[in-house]
Amino acid sequence: MDFILQPWPWYVSGPLIAIVLFLFFYFGKNFGVSTNLETMCTMAGAGKVSDYFKKDWKERDWAIIFLVGLLIGGYIAINYLSATPGIDLNPTTVNELAELGFADAGKTYVPNEIYSIENMLTLKGFAILLVAGILIGFGTRYADGCTSGHAITGLSSFQLPSLIAVIGFFIGGLFMIWVLFPLIFG
């Protein structure tokens, strides 16, 4: 049981991801979760408002089941299969985040300063999540896929647009952490 409770090494998790990816390829599916929002909007009747959503959602019902499995699996993993609730962050990173006002850096997976109900209901917290959600949604559609779809499926099938998208994700992440993050929270 101790093996399951510890972070898995790359030589275990990597081949498991490869097996799952092989199964996706074998059954003619693409790995990624961003299209699920589109599928849910289609299921909810958005096709009455926009032709973009006039699709047969039953062709992607497997993806909704996959997404539900991710949520359930994540809940089980964090609540029952984690040895500690904290994460192993570099002490320098913990200090830098503390200087920006993140008191619990390294103690939780998501910072309470952003994701607690109290902070989400403030104007700043709501604005951060709203703008972030819009940018992620726009970026996902503009890049024609999410980070997992491009980085795992796209790169493993040698797609140049996925390589370009992943490079863009890294550049955007670095810009966020080194430029915008200190402006927002500093």
Side-chain angles (χ1 to χ4, degrees):
M1 191 66 183
D2 191 44
F3 173 75
I4 292 175
L5 296 177
Q6 300 302 317
W8 290 6
W10 66 268
Y11 53 83
V12 173
S13 56
L16 287 174
I17 292 171
I19 290 168
V20 169
L21 193 58
F22 173 76
L23 290 171
F24 270 100
F25 285 153
Y26 180 78
F27 290 108
K29 308 295 184 190
N30 286 323
F31 177 78
V33 295
S34 62
T35 311
N36 285 320
L37 178 60
E38 178 182 302
T39 303
M40 288 187 281
C41 290
T42 301
M43 290 170 63
K48 297 173 185 170
V49 179
S50 172
D51 288 341
Y52 178 79
F53 294 106
K54 288 187 178 177
K55 300 175 182 179
D56 183 14
W57 64 267
K58 293 177 184 171
E59 290 178 6
R60 299 234 355 123
D61 59 352
W62 66 269
I64 298 291
I65 295 168
F66 177 73
L67 180 63
V68 170
L70 286 176
L71 295 172
I72 293 170
Y75 179 81
I76 290 170
I78 197 68
N79 289 298
Y80 301 109
L81 298 177
S82 296
T84 62
I87 54 175
D88 190 19
L89 279 181
N90 183 308
T92 304
T93 302
V94 171
N95 291 335
E96 290 174 358
L97 288 170
E99 290 174 11
L100 292 172
F102 292 88
D104 294 332
K107 296 177 185 169
T108 62
Y109 282 95
V110 292
N112 289 328
E113 289 81 4
I114 299 175
Y115 293 103
S116 70
I117 295 295
E118 297 82 26
N119 288 323
M120 284 194 285
L121 296 178
T122 65
L123 180 61
K124 180 180 178 181
F126 181 76
I128 288 171
L129 293 175
L130 179 68
V131 171
I134 290 170
L135 290 175
I136 288 171
F138 173 77
T140 300
R141 288 295 79 202
Y142 187 72
D144 200 21
C146 63
T147 53
S148 60
H150 279 298
I152 297 173
T153 300
L155 290 181
S156 67
S157 58
F158 303 110
Q159 295 181 25
L160 180 62
S162 290
L163 176 62
I164 294 167
V166 170
I167 290 169
F169 298 150
F170 276 96
I171 291 170
L174 290 171
F175 181 76
M176 175 63 194
I177 291 301
W178 290 102
V179 178
L180 298 179
F181 205 80
L183 291 174
I184 296 170
F185 296 103

